[in-house]
Each structure stands twice: as C-alpha cells, then as structure tokens.
Amino acid sequence: MTAFSLEPAQLAWCAELRALAAQRLRPLADKGEPGQVNRALVAELGGLGLLGRLFTSGALDLCLMRESLAYACTEAETALALQGLGAHPVHAYGTPAQRARWLPRVADGTAIAAFALSEPGAGSDAAALALRAEPDAPRGGGSPAGTALTAAPDGSTRWRLTGEKCWISNAPGADFYTVFARTGPDAGARGVTAFLVPADRPGLTGHALDMLSPHPIGALDFDAVPVTADDVLGAVDHGFRVAMGTLNLFRPSVGAFAVGMAQAALDATLDHTAGRHAFGGTLRELQAVSHQVAEMALRTEAARLMVLAAASAYDADSPDVPRRSAMAKLLATETAQYVVDTAVQLHGARALQRGHLLEHLYREVRAPRIYEGASEVQRGIIAKELFARQEDR
C-alpha cells in the first residue's frame, strides 16, 4: 500500500494559492465573458508564474495547483489546466523550433493553447479518430457537417486536414491547437499523427458551443488545412502515444480539480449547518445531517489521497501509471459529484439560486466525469490493466 502526506512547505504553498485565487484571480474571472477565453485571467496566471510551472514541475505540483485554485476560483483552475493540456504535447514531443515559438508565450499567458482530440464520432473512444490526412489536392467548399477529420498526404512531407473536431476547450479562441488526425490506413490507435496547427492556418474555422456550464469550448472545421513535417509532434503515425502520454499526466489532475470543488462544497456545508437553525437546534446537531457531512469528508479525503498517490507514481515513472491515473480520475470526479449534490441538498433551495457558490459548483462538477475519458472509460482502463497484470504472473 502507498502511504502519502504533504510536506509543510507544500501545504503552505497550497494556502498561498487559495489566497491568490480568491484575491487576484476571482475578480478577473467575474469580469470575463461566459463561454469565451478570458485572456486577462490567463495573463494574470502567467504573471504569477503559475503557467511557467506547467513545464518545470511534476504531476504532484500540477495536482496541488489545480486543487488549490479550484477551491477558490474554478475559472482560474480551468484556464491553467487548458494551457497545460494544449501545450504539454509541444513541451514533451515538440521540436526545438516548436517549443521556442510557443512555450514562452504559453507560460506568460499571451498565447492560448488547445488540445483537439475529440470528434463528433470519437469522444470517449479516442482510438476511433477519423480526421484523416490523405494524398489529395486541396478541395474547397468546406467539410460536410459531422465529418471526421482526415489528413490527406500532399506530397511526402505535407498533408491536408479535412473534417471536424468537436467539444474542444478554448476553441475557437485559441492561438494554436494540438490536433490529432489519422495519417495511416490502420484502424484503432495506429496511424494517428499529432500536429501543431496555428489558428491562422487557411481553411481552419470554428464556432463556440453553448454548454451547461459557461466554458470556452467549441467545434473546429478543417477545410484542406495545410500542415507539413515541421508541424508534426512526435513521429508520424505515433500520435496516439502523444495523446495518451498527455492524458496519463492530466487525468490525476482532473481528479485534483474535482477534489478542490468537493472541499469547497464541504466547507460551505460545515458553515451552513453550524449556523442554520431548524427543528429546535442547528442542522449539525441532527444525526441525519452530521452523518452526511462525515461521509462527504470521508470521500473527499479518500479521493485526495488517491489523486496525490497517482501523481507521485507518475513522477516516479511507475509502470502502473495508467491504472493509477484512471483510478484517481474516476474516484475523485464521482466523489465530487456526490459531495456537491449532498451539499446542495443540505443547503436547500438557496443553493439553487443563480450566483450561489453551490449553484456554480453544481454546474461545474458534471463535466469532469465525461472529459479526458468518461468514467466508463476509466473503469475499462482499470480492468484491462488488472487483467494484464494477472496474465503476467
């Protein structure tokens, strides 16, 4: 079994981040336009040095940042995470020229990054990507609605991307996209290539999507968008490795985001039940209430420990990172859904009023159970890893 505890310096840093989020980031988040990239907020994250840490810190630091920011400002947490998700493939797999062009601007908050993996027919089933790169001359007229992205070879070192990406965070407001397209004929994980595609490439357009929680997310349309060997991240036909390497790092930190929201809901519930009088006393004096609060705290702490253990395993280059990452994301996101829902129940109707912390968290907490691999996908990963380990015995 893995034991885990944080050092005093780490705990102090988390407290500092929560204070910064409340005092400097929350006001900027409140001024942002719902559903659009908040560039002022991203610039402040860069000015505070937090975006730069995405490229110099390990998974544990990433989790501590995301939990701490989420506790006080989910918008700041999400802005930081999306910069990391979109730019990590450049940091980990990019050429020196790609890194030199984009990473300094991501770190200072002047360039917005995005991770373009999902398609209308390939969300949780990432291996089903159909955006292709094939040997065709450029064709005008746009791509038909709902078509998958294809990468058509245009010579030996050039391709044309045609099709769609959907549910892409920071689209269409990003400055560049890490785009995954099928370059080989093989189905499944084989034959996928990752490309770094600047937003100003001809033929690339997009539109915003109106989601339950106001969040910068949209769809992208590729009409014979030109890319070359200079735009490849990693190696041709090995893009699935780029995608999974990125997700193995960020999945535990999605759990950290969820834990931050759960802790905020728990703390709000502790305050509410201590001050709310009903049935001749405070709510916390009712056993039915106190037991629910205890369960919220128990699940939140269990999720936190699993997230931090998974992050530590990643930093230690443990062979069981895929299983641990999947477990951490699964437990933490399902836990946060339970904790926030229970907090709303204990607060009553006031928690459903627009502008209430729990009304905000109630909308925010739903999406993490879907993106970067839905809960069902995480269960599949866990089972696959367990069965493989049993067969190796």
Side-chain angles (χ1 to χ4, degrees), residues 39 42 51 83 102 105-113 174-176:
R39 287 184 176 264
V42 175
L51 297 179
Q83 287 290 86
W102 291 109
R105 294 182 58 199
V106 171
D108 66 19
T110 59
I112 303 299
D175 295 301
F176 72 91

Side-chain angles (χ1 to χ4, degrees), residues 1-12:
M1 299 296 289
T2 301
F4 195 89
S5 63
L6 294 175
E7 299 293 333
Q10 292 171 311
L11 294 171

Side-chain angles (χ1 to χ4, degrees), residues 347-367:
H347 275 73
R350 72 190 66 205
L352 300 178
Q353 283 186 273
R354 184 74 68 180
H356 193 282
L357 169 65
L358 290 175
E359 179 268 339
H360 171 76
L361 292 178
Y362 199 68
R363 287 182 287 108
E364 287 284 327
V365 80
R366 188 61 184 84

Side-chain angles (χ1 to χ4, degrees), residues 2-387:
T2 301
F4 195 89
S5 63
L6 294 175
E7 299 293 333
Q10 292 171 311
L11 294 171
W13 184 52
C14 290
E16 180 184 350
L17 287 176
R18 288 194 295 270
L20 283 173
Q23 297 164 12
R24 297 180 60 171
L25 300 175
R26 177 79 263 162
L28 291 172
D30 290 340
K31 294 177 182 178
E33 289 292 327
Q36 298 184 20
V37 174
N38 187 332
R39 287 184 176 264
L41 179 61
V42 175
E44 184 67 7
L45 286 166
L48 292 171
L50 298 180
L51 297 179
R53 291 188 72 127
L54 291 169
F55 310 120
T56 60
S57 303
L60 179 57
D61 268 6
L62 176 60
C63 286
L64 296 181
M65 281 196 289
R66 292 192 69 173
E67 179 185 339
S68 301
L69 294 177
Y71 180 83
C73 182
T74 59
E75 295 90 343
E77 184 283 334
T78 300
L80 176 132
L82 295 181
Q83 287 290 86
L85 186 66
H88 177 77
V90 183
H91 169 67
Y93 303 95
T95 65
Q98 290 169 334
R99 292 196 293 267
R101 179 182 179 185
W102 291 109
L103 295 186
R105 294 182 58 199
V106 171
D108 66 19
T110 59
I112 303 299
F115 186 79
L117 178 63
S118 295
E119 297 178 3
S124 293
D125 185 7
L129 291 181
L131 176 63
R132 302 185 62 86
E134 299 172 341
D136 285 320
R139 292 189 298 267
S143 57
T147 59
L149 184 60
T150 64
D154 184 15
S156 60
T157 61
R158 304 176 68 88
W159 298 263
R160 294 279 175 167
L161 304 179
T162 300
E164 275 189 289
K165 290 290 181 179
C166 198
W167 307 296
I168 306 304
S169 293
N170 277 348
D175 295 301
F176 72 91
Y177 300 90
T178 296
V179 177
F180 298 87
R182 189 163 298 285
T183 47
D186 295 328
R190 298 179 179 180
V192 171
T193 300
F195 296 96
L196 193 166
V197 183
D200 60 0
R201 284 287 167 87
L204 176 56
T205 57
H207 62 274
L209 298 173
D210 189 10
M211 307 297 284
L212 172 67
S213 179
H215 175 68
I217 189 168
L220 298 172
D221 185 80
F222 295 77
D223 180 15
V225 175
V227 290
T228 73
D230 291 337
D231 300 313
V232 172
L233 293 168
V236 174
D237 293 341
H238 289 81
F240 199 73
R241 183 180 305 167
V242 177
M244 293 303 105
T246 301
L247 293 176
N248 281 337
L249 168 60
F250 276 85
R251 275 173 176 159
S253 73
V254 174
F257 171 38
V259 169
M261 290 190 286
Q263 188 66 54
L266 173 60
D267 287 351
T269 302
L270 290 171
D271 290 340
H272 174 70
T273 56
R276 176 77 163 89
H277 287 266
F279 307 107
T282 60
L283 284 182
R284 73 178 184 183
E285 295 175 274
L286 299 175
Q287 186 180 73
V289 171
S290 65
H291 283 191
Q292 288 187 79
V293 172
E295 185 70 18
M296 294 163 68
L298 172 70
R299 296 195 192 191
T300 299
E301 186 65 11
R304 175 181 290 113
L305 291 173
M306 181 164 281
V307 164
L308 298 180
S312 296
Y314 184 96
D315 289 340
D317 200 23
S318 171
D320 61 352
V321 165
R323 177 177 61 86
R324 285 184 173 275
S325 294
M327 284 183 166
K329 181 184 186 292
L330 174 62
L331 179 66
T333 55
E334 296 288 339
T335 291
Q337 183 79 57
Y338 165 81
V339 171
V340 171
D341 185 72
T342 303
V344 169
Q345 192 69 20
L346 292 176
H347 275 73
R350 72 190 66 205
L352 300 178
Q353 283 186 273
R354 184 74 68 180
H356 193 282
L357 169 65
L358 290 175
E359 179 268 339
H360 171 76
L361 292 178
Y362 199 68
R363 287 182 287 108
E364 287 284 327
V365 80
R366 188 61 184 84
R369 292 173 59 206
I370 297 174
Y371 64 63
E372 294 185 39
S375 293
E376 293 75 14
V377 170
Q378 306 311 318
R379 290 186 175 95
I381 292 171
I382 294 164
K384 180 180 178 181
E385 294 286 326
L386 290 173
F387 292 143

